Each structure stands twice: as C-alpha cells, then as structure tokens.
Amino acid sequence: MTLHDLYLLSPEIALAGVAMLVIVLDLFVSRKGVLPVVGMAGIAISVLFSASLWGDLQSQPSGQMSGVFGTLAVDRFGLFFKFLLAVAAALVLLMSVSYTERFRRFQGEFYGLMLLATSGMMLLASATELISIYVALELTALPMAALAAFLRDSRSAESGMKFLILSAISSAVLLYGMVFIYGYTGTTSLAEIAAVTGALLDAGYLDPLAAFGDSKALLFGIALVIAGFGFKISSVPFQFWAPDVYEGAPTPVTAFLSVASKAAGFAVILRVFYVSFPVEAMSQHWAAIFAILSVLSMTFGNLVAIRQDNIKRMLAYSTIAHAGYVMVGLAAVATRVSSGQADVGASGALFYLGGYVATNLTAFAVIVAVSNRIGSDRIDDYAGMSRRGPLLAATMAFAMISLTGIPPTIGFMSKVYLFGAAVNANLEWLAIAGMVNSVISAYYYLRVIKVMYLREPSDGSSVASDTATGIALTFTASATLLFGVYPAPLIDFARSAATALGV
Amino acid sequence: MSLENFLIVSAVLFAIGLYGALSKRNAIAVLMSIELMFNAVNLAAVAFSRYTLPAALASRPSAGGDQMVHLLLTGQIFSIFIITIAAAEVALGLAIVIAIYRSRSTVFVTDATQMRR
C-alpha cells in the first residue's frame, strides 16, 4: 500500500471519511441543517479528486492506472461512473433535506449511510478483482438495507428485511459462481482470467463450438455470476424483491436504489464481462443470455406496471423495464458489431444510464415534494395536480415523457442511440422488441399525466416543493431537456469511457 | 480425499442452505440458512485453493516465490473476506428482525406481507 494507492482510492476514501464525520457531527450540532451541507462538501471533494485523477489519465498511454495490488484500476470507465454516482448522490441528498425532518433523531446516520453506499458503488465501478468486487458489492448493499429499514414503521422494516435477505441470497449465489471461475482459472484477477481462458481456447481445451466448450465448471460459474448480478440490477427473473422494497423504503432511498445502485450494478457487469470474457467464442454466448433477459425484463416490467396504483410501486416495475433497455447495450456486444463503431453497445448502456439518472431522479424529486405535502404515494391522489402545483405537475409530466422516450428529452435520445446499437449488432429483433415495449410503457406513464391534468382535485390546497428539492428538480429537469436537445457531450463522454473497456 | 468430495459436500450444503432460505418461515432460520450458503462457498474456495493451484503452479515453473504464495493463498483469503462480511450481514439482519419484532411481535417472514401480492 503506497501513497499512490491512497491517491487512486481518494474519491472513495473522501466519501467514507465524510460519512463518519457526518455521523459524529450529528452528536454535537443542534442545527441539523449542517449535516447535508457537510455531506455535499464530501461529495464535492470526491468529485475534485476524481477530476484530478481524470487529468492524470491524460498522460497515461495505457489509459489506466492500476494499484492496491492490482485489485483496483482507475480508468475513464470507472471515473465516468464516479461522476455519475456523485451527481446522483448529491441530488438524492438534496431531496432528503425536507424528508429527514420526519425523523428528528438519527439524521446523521441517514446521510452517513448514504455516503457510505455511494463510496461502495464507486469502488464497485473500478474494482478489477473478484474479491474486491464482492467487498464493494456488500459495502453498497448493507448500507442500502439499513436505509430501507430506516423509518420507524413496519412497512419500512419489512422492506429492509426483504432487501437484506434477498441480497444475501444473491450474494451467496454470486460468490459460488465466482469461486467456480476462480477454481477453473486459478486466479481472481479479471485480466488474468481473460489471459487463462484465452490460452485454454488457443490450446483447444475450450471448444468454441460447444457452449463454453467442455468446461462445464466455467459455464456453471458464469451462469451463477449472471444470476447474482441480475439481482443487483433487478432484471427478470431476479426482480421479485424490487416492488416491495421500493414501496416500503423512504422515498429518497428508493430514488437512490433505482438509479445509483442500478448504475453501479451495470458498471461491474460491463467490466467483468468485457474484461474477463472478451473473446468472441465466449461473448456471443453471454451476450445472447443478456438479450433474452433484456426482452423478458422489458416485457414483464412494462406489463405489470400498467396495473399499479402506487406511484413508487409503478416506478419499481418501470425500473425493471429500464434494466431491460440497458441490457440491450450488453447484448450488442462489441464482437457482434461488424461495421461501424465497435463500442456502440457499451457506450449506449453508459449513455442510457446517464439519461436514466437525470430522468428518474426528476420523477422521484416530484414524488418526494408531493408526498411531503399530501403524505400519499397513490396515483389517484395526484388528481388535479396541474392546479394544485402547476410547476410540479409540469415537471412530472416532462419526466414521464422522457421515461416513455418522446422527444425533446434525453429518454428519447438514449433510446435512439441504444436501439441503433442493437441494429448495428444485427439484433434487429431486439430493437423492435424495445420499441414495442416503449409503446406499451406510454400507457402507464401517460396515465399519470392524464390523472394530473384531466381529473378534478379532491382537495384544493396548493402543493409546492421545498427549496432543496426545488434545486434538485431544476438541475435534473434541465439536464433531461438539455441533453435531450444536444446530447453530443454526454455521448462523447460515454464513448471515451467505453474505450477503457478495450473495445 | 480428492477435490470432488469437497465440491460435492459444498454443493449439498449450498442446496440445503438455499432451500432453507427460501422455505423457512422464521427469519432467524432464514439467516442461518444464508450462513450455510456462505459456508458452502468457503468450503469450495478453500478446496479449490488446496487442490487445483499446485497443478497450476507446476505448469508455470517461472513463477517466483512471492507469486507462488499469492496464488496459493487467494482462495483462503477469499474465504476470510466472506466470513467477515457474512458476520456483518447477520448483525444487520438481526437488527432488522428486532425492529420488525418490536412493531409486530413476530419473527415469521410469512407474516411480513404488509405490501400485498
């Protein structure tokens, strides 16, 4: 462990340190408004360190700085997610300011756990070794479980318990898979796994014509790893935890789970599969698995979301569907792309995740603002919101339009880019399935707009957001619009990040 | 004793743990079953580390001392990390079980159905 290793870890260390600081500070200060400010400062420090690391990368010909005994790599791919997660965490922190007034005690722990989870997600995005991936995964999952159970009511405790138990089961499945990969290749480093499987393929021990050759152990391990990661991104058939956890958890935590946790999950999936199993003999098989999971997730999520009456539960099913859309990017793996840019699949997934963070956080910020005032998450209680809170209703309508994928929003741009990637990779059927699903999803997204604008309000009192949530809303809504009109900077950012995966 | 024996025991343990985690009604029993799954993984990791790596090393005569130790111990280090994190997981699990017990006076997961379907 050298000083340089500490520097490579500095974004995570800054967040973890500030998390501890916030918890200790909570004991001493009586004005709890200081806590989110300190938390924001921690995120800002972490972003500064990430920016400094990004600057240092420019002088690295390999585009990568490896450290901490080869368990961690700082590259553009990891840093893309660090910036994305930092932005998501900052926005969720802003939404939490008014929400945390519900519990007078333990506010420090709320912010502290959130920062710790963020630091785990950042670690997840740059871990390059199976053991550290597992540790980072648990550093993400355990604080999230504690946060889900944070409210003092039985629904929240139930949500926390369901998350913890199912996350532990999925971790065990993932570990069992990792151990088989380790046992077969003799190493836990992602790059060395690629070297060993590549050498075995060249020597003819792995037969490319049979699925993953004669190596049933490796196939078994990879299948279990996909199952374990599938839970983290709430893909069908590992999605059953999401609706209950999303409904019962505090709303800012739900928001954080739905965007940040999902982004980190996709970061680690992309890295593991692109770095460890890049050869075509393997990638065509795992890409096919992701293509099937993608269609199942989209269809299941969208169909079940139609009949939900709780908006958090509806967005839980919508998030399952969006995991399906992002998996289109995994299915359009680089080795399938015969013409054009090879990185469209990976960069499409990154671009889509960026857009999803902006859009979904807009929706959740409105939900937080509304539920702070009317204390309900039922879609029917949004009736007449256009008159009770015109600005909130308009923002919500805009978020729903972006989630559906209608211009001029980033939701539209990222869907175009992603489905274009599928067509490039000769997966036209997947692109068509995605478009059909977008049409299905319009039904329940636009229903929210219909309820807000066409139904009479049951109660005439006005609904407005508090200042902090308002700031978060302004930021997310303008990002959704801005990148929807001019997506080039975000696409360039995603593409330069995807090149770090070696495509 | 060969590697297969250990892997069979590990697979049996994992299957029992998975069955228990999905079918037990008592939250404490669910947490115990999850521990069983983690321990099945530990057993497999240590067995792989003991049986497959000496063979891998033999095929790599150029490996130096440091590298050999690194390779030989990876599986065991893996299981130490798993044990530590599993302990943290159970601690949090029990804390949440207590929170549920306080609000509902039950530790049966089948009763935790406040959110329907």
Side-chain angles (χ1 to χ4, degrees):
Chain A
M1 198 84 177
T2 61
L3 209 56
H4 187 62
D5 287 344
L6 286 180
Y7 174 55
L8 294 183
L9 272 172
S10 55
E12 289 87 357
I13 293 176
L15 276 182
V18 172
M20 307 297 169
L21 182 70
V22 169
I23 293 174
V24 174
L25 210 61
D26 184 34
L27 300 173
F28 299 112
V29 296
S30 50
R31 284 184 52 233
K32 303 298 179 194
V34 179
L35 301 174
V37 176
V38 175
M40 291 295 276
I43 295 173
I45 296 170
S46 168
V47 168
L48 284 181
F49 275 124
S50 304
S52 155
L53 285 167
W54 180 279
D56 290 356
L57 274 182
Q58 309 299 334
S59 58
Q60 299 281 332
S62 63
Q64 191 185 62
M65 290 187 284
S66 186
V68 203
F69 313 106
T71 61
L72 182 92
V74 171
D75 52 15
R76 291 199 176 87
F77 178 76
L79 288 173
F80 174 87
F81 278 101
K82 283 180 197 184
F83 289 124
L84 191 65
L85 292 167
V87 170
L91 292 168
V92 173
L93 222 59
L94 281 175
M95 288 178 212
S96 314
V97 172
S98 59
Y99 196 88
T100 47
E101 282 163 12
R102 296 177 188 202
F103 29 92
R104 288 247 54 95
R105 292 170 68 203
F106 305 123
Q107 290 194 13
E109 280 80 356
F110 186 87
Y111 295 117
L113 286 169
M114 202 157 258
L115 293 174
L116 272 181
T118 316
S119 110
M121 290 168 191
M122 288 188 172
L123 203 58
L124 202 52
S126 44
T128 57
E129 194 254 359
L130 296 181
I131 301 176
S132 31
I133 287 177
Y134 170 62
V135 174
L137 209 59
E138 292 300 322
L139 183 54
T140 313
L142 293 185
M144 290 313 297
L147 281 171
F150 211 87
L151 294 178
R152 285 286 175 104
D153 62 31
S154 55
R155 290 159 73 90
S156 177
E158 178 183 330
S159 142
M161 188 180 68
K162 281 182 175 161
F163 184 72
L164 184 85
I165 287 177
L166 292 169
S167 140
I169 294 174
S170 81
S171 289
V173 171
L174 177 75
L175 278 173
Y176 205 46
M178 283 180 171
V179 162
F180 271 89
I181 293 176
Y182 157 69
Y184 194 79
T185 59
T187 172
T188 53
S189 147
L190 297 184
E192 283 178 37
I193 290 172
V196 172
T197 48
L200 287 172
L201 271 171
D202 290 342
Y205 286 116
L206 286 171
D207 179 8
L209 291 177
F212 291 105
D214 52 355
S215 63
K216 298 293 184 286
L218 192 56
L219 171 65
F220 184 57
I222 291 173
L224 290 180
V225 165
I226 291 181
F229 284 145
F231 169 88
K232 306 292 173 197
I233 56 170
S234 64
S235 132
V236 170
F238 318 105
Q239 87 296 347
F240 37 77
W241 60 278
D244 283 355
V245 172
Y246 279 36
E247 188 183 337
T251 311
V253 175
T254 308
F256 200 52
L257 255 181
S258 75
V259 296
S261 177
K262 188 168 301 256
F266 273 106
V268 69
I269 289 179
L270 278 165
R271 194 187 285 277
V272 166
F273 284 96
Y274 268 87
V275 174
S276 291
F277 310 109
V279 277
E280 195 178 352
M282 313 209 106
S283 67
Q284 59 176 335
H285 294 295
W286 59 254
I289 295 176
F290 282 120
I292 294 164
L293 291 183
S294 161
V295 176
L296 291 178
S297 289
M298 288 191 272
T299 316
F300 175 84
N302 282 328
L303 289 180
V304 183
I306 289 177
R307 51 187 292 269
Q308 302 305 321
D309 48 14
N310 179 308
I311 195 151
K312 276 161 84 179
R313 213 175 165 86
M314 185 200 92
L315 283 176
Y317 284 105
S318 131
T319 203
I320 295 171
H322 282 274
Y325 296 135
V326 184
M327 272 191 281
V328 171
L330 288 174
V333 60
T335 45
R336 281 194 71 108
V337 180
S338 46
S339 63
Q341 304 149 344
D343 65 351
V344 278
S347 64
L350 299 191
F351 179 46
Y352 197 94
L353 282 170
Y356 185 63
V357 166
T359 309
N360 219 33
L361 284 182
T362 314
F364 270 107
V366 175
I367 295 173
V368 169
V370 171
S371 79
N372 278 343
R373 293 301 298 263
I374 68 175
S376 162
D377 294 324
R378 283 167 44 82
I379 294 177
D380 288 340
D381 290 336
Y382 281 67
M385 199 53 76
S386 58
R387 265 168 277 166
R388 299 178 66 184
L391 207 57
L392 281 178
T395 327
M396 186 63 155
F398 187 60
M400 291 296 138
I401 284 173
S402 180
L403 283 172
T404 320
I406 300 171
T409 59
I410 184 148
F412 168 74
M413 280 298 169
S414 50
K415 273 201 176 116
V416 168
Y417 191 89
L418 203 57
F419 296 158
V423 173
N424 254 357
N426 302 316
L427 287 166
E428 285 85 357
W429 63 274
L430 196 53
I432 291 170
M435 280 180 258
V436 170
N437 264 291
S438 303
V439 175
I440 299 174
S441 73
Y443 179 79
Y444 62 88
Y445 289 134
L446 299 184
R447 190 180 56 146
V448 176
I449 301 180
K450 192 191 95 183
V451 169
M452 287 192 306
Y453 277 88
L454 298 181
R455 271 213 222 142
E456 291 299 318
S458 51
D459 169 8
S461 66
S462 74
V463 177
S465 75
D466 60 290
T467 324
T469 313
I471 296 170
L473 260 177
T474 317
F475 190 85
T476 51
S478 43
T480 308
L481 178 65
L482 197 71
F483 289 125
V485 179
Y486 184 60
L490 193 56
I491 291 179
D492 288 342
F493 193 23
R495 289 198 58 203
S496 84
T499 51
L501 289 175
V503 293
Chain B
M1 292 288 267
S2 67
L3 176 62
E4 283 79 8
N5 300 13
F6 286 101
L7 290 186
I8 289 168
V9 174
S10 152
V12 170
L13 272 181
F14 191 84
I16 294 174
L18 186 57
Y19 174 75
L22 297 178
S23 68
K24 284 287 169 198
R25 292 181 62 225
N26 189 322
I28 311 284
V30 172
L31 289 174
M32 283 163 66
S33 305
I34 290 171
E35 279 304 287
L36 210 53
M37 292 168 80
F38 281 121
N39 285 327
V41 175
N42 287 335
L43 186 62
V46 174
F48 275 130
S49 166
R50 168 71 182 76
Y51 283 96
T52 63
L53 286 174
L57 281 179
S59 68
R60 234 189 286 189
S62 59
D66 260 10
Q67 209 182 343
M68 277 178 135
V69 173
H70 182 80
L71 278 173
L72 277 172
L73 290 183
T74 309
Q76 305 183 20
I77 301 280
F78 205 153
S79 62
I80 287 176
F81 272 97
I82 297 173
I83 291 168
T84 317
I85 293 175
E89 206 142 35
V90 168
L92 180 58
L94 289 176
I96 296 178
V97 169
I98 290 173
I100 289 183
Y101 184 76
R102 280 204 183 129
S103 65
R104 295 212 198 133
S105 306
T106 175
V107 292
F108 287 103
V109 283
T110 40
D111 297 340
T113 51
Q114 191 118 44
M115 289 163 282
R116 67 235 134 73
R117 279 167 296 229

